[in-house]
Amino acid sequence: MACIICKKSGYTTLRKYEAPDIYEKYVGIENVKRSWRQCRSCMFQYQVREYPLADLEVIYKKGYRDKKFRGMNIRQAYNKVSSLPKDKSESWQRATWFKQNCNGVNKILDIGSGLGIFPKHLIDLGFKVDCTEENLHSIRWIKNVLKLKCYNQIHKVLDYDLISLVHVLEHIEKPVEFIDSLSGRKLFIEVPDASFFLHLEDDHDDLNSCHLWGFDFHTLDLLLQKIGYHIYAAKRFHYPERNLRRLAVMAKCN
């Protein structure tokens, strides 16, 4: 597999997996040969496997909000996260940094809205926000309980000033083509920070089977440059309560 960023084929194998993780077990994948690689040219990290990515689709449609898988239903998960004080809330830290760096933004499409907590924080800060989700539990929750617009596919992007992608890009099989389809809207992207991947244990959730790509500032910038974007604001977040490292950027077309 050639690197999706620089198109070079040379790589170094960083980790190998021959036993299924919790996501693979959930969808019934038993025979696993999976590895994380790093491109020797641009240093981009990516994951390869010997089964089709479509086999993981049920994770997004069902697993993420399945009480048997998550240990709590969507209401319990929402209440747990939304009850955190602002200084302990990852979503609130994300939203306040967003507010500081989004001049000219009013209407937002949030793709992959999950529990709907980040969109709610943005609304509290004065933005107009619509949501997109493919998990049926999340769609019902966001529409019927949170009372937000929520689509099951990407809505007309020309209606929005900015597209928000929080923990989405690492799941997208063709990220260059995906971003190119967003019609030049401003972007807010947050991903696991691959600068710290080498320090993680093999079973850390940032390295799970659903994550295809590992972005750091350099490789995310290279990917966005390929489709005419440039990063104009960036921040590394450390959430010590869960010991997570996150990379957030704001980007716009040149």
Side-chain angles (χ1 to χ4, degrees):
M1 173 180 174
C3 174
I4 64 167
I5 293 179
C6 70
K7 303 303 182 182
K8 302 291 180 61
S9 57
Y11 64 87
T12 300
T13 299
L14 304 177
R15 303 171 191 260
K16 289 184 177 181
Y17 298 87
E18 295 186 352
D21 68 4
I22 59 172
Y23 301 93
E24 290 163 325
K25 290 178 181 177
Y26 180 81
V27 300
I29 297 172
E30 298 179 353
N31 298 316
V32 171
K33 285 189 178 180
R34 180 165 49 87
S35 63
W36 276 95
R37 297 175 177 176
Q38 185 171 52
C39 174
R40 289 177 182 163
S41 179
C42 69
M43 308 306 289
F44 181 52
Q45 296 183 50
Y46 57 96
Q47 192 166 194
V48 296
R49 73 219 49 235
E50 292 189 354
Y51 59 80
L53 289 172
D55 289 357
L56 295 173
E57 187 64 23
V58 70
I59 288 290
Y60 307 112
K61 298 287 188 182
K62 181 182 177 184
Y64 273 139
R65 300 297 158 229
D66 186 341
K67 184 176 181 179
K68 292 181 180 178
F69 183 59
R70 285 298 189 186
M72 61 182 74
N73 62 34
I74 193 167
R75 181 179 295 276
Q76 292 168 328
Y78 181 90
N79 289 341
K80 178 181 178 180
V81 177
S82 63
S83 65
L84 292 170
K86 289 182 178 179
D87 63 338
K88 303 291 185 183
S89 168
E90 298 167 14
S91 185
W92 186 255
Q93 292 178 55
R94 178 188 303 127
T96 52
W97 183 80
F98 178 98
K99 175 76 171 179
Q100 295 165 3
N101 293 280
C102 64
N103 293 339
V105 171
N106 179 40
K107 192 171 183 182
I108 299 163
L109 179 66
D110 183 60
I111 296 177
S113 298
L115 297 171
I117 293 174
F118 181 55
K120 284 287 288 183
H121 286 331
L122 292 179
I123 290 169
D124 291 343
L125 290 171
F127 297 99
K128 297 177 181 178
V129 186
D130 292 342
C131 302
T132 298
E133 252 296 340
E134 58 179 321
N135 184 279
L136 296 179
H137 297 288
S138 289
I139 293 171
R140 287 195 293 266
W141 172 261
I142 291 168
K143 291 175 70 171
N144 299 334
V145 180
L146 301 186
K147 305 300 183 182
L148 305 180
K149 286 185 180 179
C150 188
Y151 305 96
N152 62 2
Q153 58 185 357
I154 296 176
H155 197 49
K156 297 177 182 177
V157 296
L158 293 178
D159 294 340
Y160 302 93
D161 304 314
L162 179 143
I163 310 297
S164 171
L165 303 166
V166 177
H167 296 289
V168 170
L169 201 61
E170 65 268 30
H171 298 268
I172 300 296
E173 186 173 4
K174 296 181 178 180
V176 173
E177 292 85 349
F178 175 75
I179 292 176
D180 197 34
S181 72
L182 300 180
S183 303
R185 301 298 91 188
K186 287 183 178 179
L187 301 176
F188 171 65
I189 299 171
E190 183 176 305
V191 291
D193 189 348
S195 302
F196 294 89
F197 277 11
L198 292 178
H199 304 290
L200 301 178
E201 298 294 329
D202 284 345
D203 62 351
H204 194 284
D205 195 54
D206 281 351
L207 303 171
N208 74 62
S209 57
C210 297
H211 289 178
L212 312 182
W213 320 112
F215 295 101
D216 57 19
F217 277 130
H218 171 65
T219 54
L220 184 55
D221 186 40
L222 288 176
L223 181 136
L224 291 171
Q225 286 182 33
K226 289 173 70 70
I227 38 185
Y229 279 85
H230 71 275
I231 295 172
Y232 67 90
K235 182 178 176 62
R236 278 196 169 100
F237 286 96
H238 178 212
Y239 302 126
E241 287 75 17
R242 296 199 292 158
N243 194 27
L244 299 177
R245 306 277 182 167
R246 297 292 179 251
L247 173 61
V249 302
M250 307 285 291
K252 60 183 178 180
C253 278
N254 297 324

